[in-house]
Amino acid sequence: MLLRARPDLITPVPTDLTQLATRAGTRASVVRALERLDRFALQTAEALAVAADPAAYGGLLRLMAGDAEDAAVAGALPRALGTLREQALVWGPDDRLRLVRTARELLTPSPQHPSPTGLGPTVREAAAGMSPGRVQEIVGAAGLPSTHDAVSAVSSLAALFTDRRRMAALLAEVPEESLEVLRRLVWGPPYGQVTADPAPRLRLLLDRGLLLPTAPGTVVLPREVALHLRGGLAHRATEPLPPSVAAAASHRPRVVDAAAAGQAYTALATVEDLLKEWDAGGPAVLRAGGLSVRDLKRTAVALDVPEPVAAFWIELAHAAGLLASDGEADERYAATPAYDEWLEQSAARRWARLAESWLTATRTAGLIGGRDAKDRALSALGPGLDRSAAPEVRHRVLTLLAALPEGASPSAEGVLARLRWERPLRGPQREDELRGRLARWALQEAELLGVTGRGALSAHGRALLGAPGAGRPAGEGRATGPSATGPSADGSAAAVAAVPVEAAVPAGPGDKLPVRHGHGHPHPAVAPEPLSAAEQALASAAAAGLLAPLLPEPLDHVLLQADLTAVAPGPLERPLAAVLDVLADVESKGGATVYRFTPGSVRRALDAGRSASDLHAFLAAHSRTPVPQPLAYLIDDVARRHGQLRVGAASAYVRCDDDAQLNEILADKRAAALRLRRLAPTVLAAQADPGALLEGLRAMGFAPAAESAQGDVVITRADAHRTPPRTAPEPVPEGPPTPDATLLAAAIRA
């Protein structure tokens, strides 16, 4: 259990228990373990850091529950203590609880590193630099008999401050204005500034040791005094239970699934539009890597979405292995060969691939547009976007949604409050804290992708997560205790989990207390940890199966209209959509897609090798309405003029059997930039490359065709440019991965 909870201890495999114990006490490992504690377990560790060393369970309970003996705290403390034992941060029996030395050093209050408890040093620590005479004066002013040495004097003063009855009597003699000073310091920070000649209300406190000097002009409230004033509490607000994630709205499950399926269909269409936009070679790769701000804006306009949303789709296509740089000298982004394979899959399978890539990716699109630690701009597809915590946060957010009733959606603040409890920051809370931002982005991206609908987790979203009742049977959770490691019959796995770090002290009654299950989420209601690659593949297949019936069936027809448009009343079959994308321009999208036929679009189809008769037959076969006469005339007119002009490489030339048409070109002022001259009655030479010449003539309203050196028409394909085979970017893990059962069993045997 220890090795599962702290996988850094098994990398590399320790040779014996001594090495394991030593490694578990290193600063880096302890810091990592503390950062993975929930708020109450961390508060328990902080209380142990300010308690006596060793501490008894009863003393720890008083620090956590206070004089009022909070029942919720008392009920939750055994679990928190069990968590600390499981993480090898606490050892010893219940009457001698010890915090690992490194953890104590990290959590003990000091002027340089204040404790989250707000407590200061003890009387003994604060009086360490005082003169014996001054100590005796304080003891006398507090009403205690003088002693023969300073050590015993400090001990008697500490005994006074920890005796509730005597301390209450002492404070009863202190005027209200002096008590107000103590109240300002009681919850921290415990340090204050005084002048060389303190006011009477401060002088009274200093004389009785209720405030002790630590440096010239600085005083501190001793820990024992603060605890008395707090009613024995180590923390101002003890949080034994996680905040509940309540439903902010509720919808019928069918409505949620339908909304999520509609968004899933939109997600597929958006990714296809993105890669179609870059089909002939996308934007150039910046020298430092990534996409320029201008290219991101251009892509956002093309997709008709805000720039942050465009950045998300770009990063998602990259994470799924559908988009990469081509590696050429003039490096550009383009679709990969995997994109063509992806297009051949069913819509549900294509969505499952995108959703699985999003769930496991460490690249974080939400960071795009910000700055890194060196104040460099973070760009889409560029370096510096990996955040190893992103997959865990996404999984945890979806798990919280899965715990709600079907159709229920929580508030974002409720989810964030729960995540902050499960993994609190050590130090001041910040509004822009990374895990909070990751959670907000996860909620937004899940809605964009169709994992959720109207804020609630969909049925296919539950299956993608592998939640009980969706991807696998209820109760079939992932074991995280020793039984999952295949331990030997003598219980060696449990023996390793109980290894003390600083001494081989026998485990006390606390070892029998309930401990948390799962990795990093201590509450018993927490769902299993993220799935393995094989399990995720099965979950994705199950999600695709649930989504497929919700997606619209592709159609094999369009409705042609007399205004040179075609209406697709739903998604089209792949071959039909591919031909229409070449033959017509998309005018509008939505529930129905409107295509418009133009001379340029018809010429594009002719350039791709289609003839006029092919186009007439295609439209007649796939239209539920007769082919309008204006469309038939448009196709025939463009086909009649197509290829009359032939452009080849000389550097470039134009030839045409109709010399009158060549005269018309020479007379056109727009041809000046092409610098044409006549070589023969039917041939013009140009001081421009063939591509520029083709574009120039087309801009003038002609329909030229490129030809090869043999005089044949060159047929251009819309999907000509692809990168070499590329693999999807590998996620960057957060520290060593959780060891599997084979590695754990081998380590335990060793």
Side-chain angles (χ1 to χ4, degrees), residues 36 60 109 191 206 354 389 406 413 543 549 581 602 608 628 636 639 697 707:
R36 300 189 70 84
L60 175 62
Y191 295 92
L206 288 168
L354 293 179
E406 292 187 9
E413 290 306 320
D581 285 339
V602 174
D636 291 338
L697 292 174
E707 72 175 11

Side-chain angles (χ1 to χ4, degrees), residues 131-148:
S131 67
R134 178 56 183 156
V135 172
Q136 294 293 346
E137 290 176 1
I138 292 175
V139 167
L144 298 173
S146 61
T147 63
H148 59 281

